[in-house]
Amino acid sequence: WRVLLEDIYPGEWRDYDSAKDMCKRGVYSIIFGMGITNLRDLLYAGDGNKTDGFGDHRSVEAFLSHPIVEELMAERKQQRSIVLQAGGAHNAFGSWISRDRNTPIRSVIAQVIQSYEVALMMSLLPVFQAERIRVVSFLHDGVSMWVVDKEEEQRIVRRLQACFAQAAADFGFYTAL
């Protein structure tokens, strides 16, 4: 996130955490199919809830014209075309998600994305079973846990990160836990 922010906000940021939150909201909104008009509005004004917008049009356009964001937008367009032509898509577990009038393209793509998030998170299950860990919450995009033996905490975290990194590499994703 820092690289993206440095390009959008050369020099000092007004509020790094707020700008980072807005970048994340913008990226995830693109991934999950938000239209460009609504995306511009979100980036400018925020969501009216907990994420502030950039508050100026220069930052909005700097975000939208950033090479990472442009590549993401192009890939989204390509995936929409693929789903339209195929009539759906396979999720991470091999199940077919059909596109129909009740399941629009962006819903198909969102379900596929979320299935890969779940598949990545499932790579952690063997570590949870083998170690003295109490899972507090397990979601498609994150986990909260309590390690029983605090002296083992860093080793267990490294093991979880290694499993996650391997699963991400197997899928061809660039991400980390």
Side-chain angles (χ1 to χ4, degrees), residues 145-163:
M145 63 185 187
W146 178 69
V147 178
V148 176
D149 186 351
K150 292 299 178 194
E151 291 179 8
E152 293 291 313
E153 186 171 10
Q154 289 306 311
R155 182 190 61 77
I156 292 169
V157 168
R158 284 191 302 276
R159 188 168 173 212
L160 288 165
Q161 289 171 326
C163 286

Side-chain angles (χ1 to χ4, degrees), residues 76-140:
R76 178 178 83 167
K77 185 176 180 179
Q78 181 179 358
Q79 291 302 314
R80 288 179 57 84
S81 178
I82 290 168
V83 170
L84 180 62
Q85 186 174 20
H90 286 98
N91 71 14
F93 306 102
S95 297
W96 182 255
I97 303 169
S98 295
R99 177 196 164 267
D100 56 36
R101 72 185 173 110
N102 294 322
T103 311
I105 292 172
R106 90 179 198 181
S107 177
V108 171
I109 292 170
Q111 290 177 61
V112 169
I113 292 166
Q114 289 170 338
S115 76
Y116 280 96
E117 290 176 329
V118 169
L120 285 170
M121 294 304 297
M122 287 177 66
S123 72
L124 306 176
L125 294 178
V127 179
F128 293 152
Q129 292 170 338
E131 300 286 355
R132 295 183 62 207
I133 298 172
R134 302 290 184 260
V135 177
V136 178
S137 70
F138 185 88
L139 304 171
H140 69 280

Side-chain angles (χ1 to χ4, degrees), residues 159-175:
R159 188 168 173 212
L160 288 165
Q161 289 171 326
C163 286
F164 190 88
Q166 184 59 57
D170 291 348
F171 284 123
F173 299 152
Y174 181 76
T175 188

Side-chain angles (χ1 to χ4, degrees), residues 38-53:
N38 288 339
L39 179 60
R40 274 195 168 89
D41 291 345
L42 171 72
L43 292 169
Y44 182 79
D47 63 8
N49 192 8
K50 66 176 190 171
T51 306
D52 294 332

